[in-house]
Amino acid sequence: MQTSFTLAQLAEPDIAESEKILRACVHCGFCTATCPTYVLLGDELDSPRGRIYLIKDMLENDRPATAEVVPHIDRCLSCLACMTTCPSGVHYMHLIDHARAHVEETYRRPLLDRVLRAVIAKVLPDPKLFRWSLFAAFLGKPLAPLFDLVGVAPVAAMLRLAPTKLPPHGRLGPCVIAAEGERRGRVALLTGCVASVITPQINDAAIRVLTRHGIEVVLARGEGCCGSLVHHLGRKEEALQSARHNVDVWMGEIDGEGLDAILVTASGCGTTIKDYGYMLRDDPRYAARARMVAGLARDVSEYINGINNLNVRPVPDLVVAYHGACSLQHGQKITREPKEVLSKSGFVVKDVPDGHLCCGSAGTYNMLQPRLAMALRDRKVACIAKVAPDVIAAGNVGCITQIAGGTEIPVVHPVELIDWATGGPVPGALRRLVNTV
């Protein structure tokens, strides 16, 4: 794609990077076939190619975002399926991130939208505030239809997504959980924000699997939200603050007793942490350390699959539909490892038809774009049903919550199944099923 940025514009690092990305695009349109919003809406402006044209026009002309452009940017899930499809290597992720930051800086959203986004950015990354907000959401659940009637669909979506009850607290940091037997490795595990409140059993399962196989696990002191949520809301500086904070925390461990890896059980967080080196590339104090942290980041299934001789015990012969979270299969290019380790653990693993298409969760997307998110969820659930599974496995808490809202089939994280197969408890979502097998 031909561009015409001025030299003054190209002196700004983000513009220079976006210009490289734009020039890589050859207008081929392969991305449209795998873009969920284009598949649903059939609008060229709601495809990656269409958004690229809008972003180019906005940035090249140094133009503030407009009410005509913003909805198309907002409707992007950042599922990154287009990056998997693109034959030219267009790094759409960094381009759409830049566009969102530009929207946040130059466009004044309607009041309700500003309030919702501010609340999400404040509450979700803070586990204490998030837990309290879920209690309030539980009380407000009966009001969801009313919010739909008065045209406040995002609030209705938030109420419907809130769990009916919260699990007890999981393992709380900071602490070091010793390996069983001879220590074979030492890793940090991201506690997370949303996941630590609504699915603490996932990290608990990961800790049991790791320590059972000789891996010491560190829940680092002071670790916080990875920055994904605010990053995808276009709040660039808040995201960079989160990244710097976590780099400092994990470098303390790296410089101390050392770390073999930084493990993440929520793939959306993992994609962002693996991108810390890029995010902080222009920060002279943090660039090198951020690259080191990013280089150590691993998805938990990716890491466990590398453990030799898993101590597997017999489990019921269950069919597992593996849902590849977009942030894992497209963002991190991890497709083989989760399925391999599930198979090694004794499960029958089946791929989901049209598995490249997003389930509609996409961080906060199912709250801010509920109509499209529900359509994508229903499509995903219908595809899963075609393989007639006993259980669904997904490596991201957002996907687990989203898919579980549309099916009676139990949805768990792969590490919960691996934990069970290597001597841990039956995952809570499977207890009723296992008792009938």
Side-chain angles (χ1 to χ4, degrees):
M1 178 178 287
Q2 186 175 2
T3 61
S4 56
F5 290 94
T6 66
L7 291 177
Q9 286 176 306
L10 293 173
E12 203 278 305
D14 285 340
I15 291 289
E17 187 64 29
S18 290
E19 194 255 359
K20 292 178 188 176
I21 298 168
L22 289 167
R23 289 179 69 85
C25 179
V26 297
H27 321 278
C28 68
F30 283 13
C31 56
T32 60
T34 56
C35 174
T37 50
Y38 183 77
V39 168
L40 285 181
L41 302 173
D43 186 340
E44 174 75 11
L45 295 180
D46 284 311
S47 74
R49 182 171 63 181
R51 293 186 182 106
I52 284 171
Y53 280 114
L54 293 175
I55 294 166
K56 175 182 181 292
D57 180 67
M58 186 168 60
L59 297 180
E60 202 170 55
N61 294 291
D62 198 17
R63 182 177 295 144
T66 65
E68 291 72 35
V69 170
V70 169
H72 299 294
I73 303 296
D74 286 349
R75 282 197 285 265
C76 176
L77 294 118
S78 279
C79 70
L80 309 181
C82 55
M83 286 178 57
T84 297
T85 309
C86 181
S88 303
V90 175
H91 206 303
Y92 180 82
M93 180 175 83
H94 291 156
L95 184 67
I96 194 68
D97 287 343
H98 184 191
R100 288 195 174 112
H102 183 79
V103 168
E104 186 69 14
E105 291 168 6
T106 64
Y107 179 68
R108 185 166 178 81
R109 294 180 179 274
L111 177 61
L112 179 60
D113 200 11
R114 294 202 307 274
V115 170
L116 287 172
R117 287 168 176 268
V119 168
I120 288 171
K122 178 69 175 176
V123 172
L124 267 64
D126 185 323
K128 290 181 181 178
L129 280 178
F130 183 49
R131 183 171 281 272
W132 279 108
S133 74
L134 290 179
F135 176 71
F138 170 73
L139 297 178
K141 267 183 173 293
L143 300 177
L146 178 61
F147 282 106
D148 270 331
L149 283 173
V150 297
V152 194
V155 174
M158 291 177 190
L159 294 175
R160 290 192 177 100
L161 285 166
T164 54
K165 63 178 181 178
L166 285 180
H169 290 283
R171 178 90 65 161
L172 298 176
C175 62
V176 177
I177 304 98
E180 296 178 14
E182 181 183 356
R183 192 177 89 172
R184 300 165 59 189
R186 188 173 193 267
V187 301
L189 180 69
L190 176 72
T191 305
C193 42
V194 172
S196 68
V197 175
I198 62 175
T199 54
Q201 73 275 8
I202 294 174
N203 273 359
D204 288 348
I207 290 167
R208 288 192 295 266
V209 172
L210 293 164
T211 55
R212 192 178 293 135
H213 291 86
I215 310 299
E216 182 176 276
V217 180
V218 180
L219 305 183
R221 181 180 298 277
E223 166 231 282
C225 175
C226 69
S228 291
L229 289 168
V230 290
H231 185 51
H232 295 305
L233 290 171
R235 302 165 83 102
K236 178 182 174 181
E237 286 308 314
E238 292 175 44
L240 294 181
Q241 287 173 12
S242 294
R244 292 185 187 103
H245 176 81
N246 284 332
V247 167
D248 285 339
V249 167
W250 286 322
M251 284 303 303
E253 294 292 339
I254 293 166
D255 293 337
E257 292 192 46
L259 293 174
D260 301 311
I262 298 166
L263 302 188
V264 188
T265 57
S267 62
C269 302
T271 302
T272 295
I273 294 168
K274 288 183 177 183
D275 205 40
Y276 275 3
Y278 175 83
M279 291 169 65
L280 294 169
R281 68 196 183 283
D282 297 316
D283 188 324
R285 289 186 56 214
Y286 281 90
R289 293 188 293 168
R291 286 195 300 270
M292 182 176 292
V293 165
L296 287 174
R298 299 286 185 276
D299 183 75
V300 69
S301 297
E302 177 187 12
Y303 184 85
I304 292 173
N305 192 49
I307 296 176
N308 293 324
N309 302 317
L310 285 177
N311 301 319
V312 176
R313 301 179 182 183
V315 291
D317 191 22
L318 299 181
V319 174
V320 179
Y322 174 72
H323 164 72
C326 295
S327 46
L328 201 54
Q329 64 168 315
H330 303 308
Q332 300 180 46
K333 307 303 181 189
I334 295 173
T335 56
R336 172 182 53 84
E337 293 87 340
K339 292 184 286 186
E340 276 190 1
V341 72
L342 284 170
S343 294
K344 290 176 189 175
S345 300
F347 299 100
V348 179
V349 183
K350 292 192 176 182
D351 287 319
V352 176
D354 285 342
H356 61 282
L357 287 178
C358 185
C359 69
S361 172
T364 61
Y365 192 90
N366 53 1
M367 291 178 269
L368 296 174
Q369 300 285 338
R371 182 179 64 85
L372 292 173
M374 288 286 283
L376 289 169
R377 185 200 70 182
D378 292 345
R379 181 189 178 108
K380 178 64 67 176
V381 167
C383 287
I384 290 170
K386 292 177 182 177
V387 302
D390 299 303
V391 59
I392 303 162
N396 191 51
V397 60
C399 301
I400 292 171
T401 304
Q402 175 80 346
I403 294 169
T407 180
E408 295 298 319
I409 302 170
V411 190
V412 299
H413 193 287
V415 80
E416 295 181 81
L417 295 174
I418 299 163
D419 177 38
W420 178 28
T422 56
V426 178
L430 293 185
R431 284 174 191 152
R432 184 180 302 174
L433 172 65
V434 170
N435 288 336
T436 63
V437 173

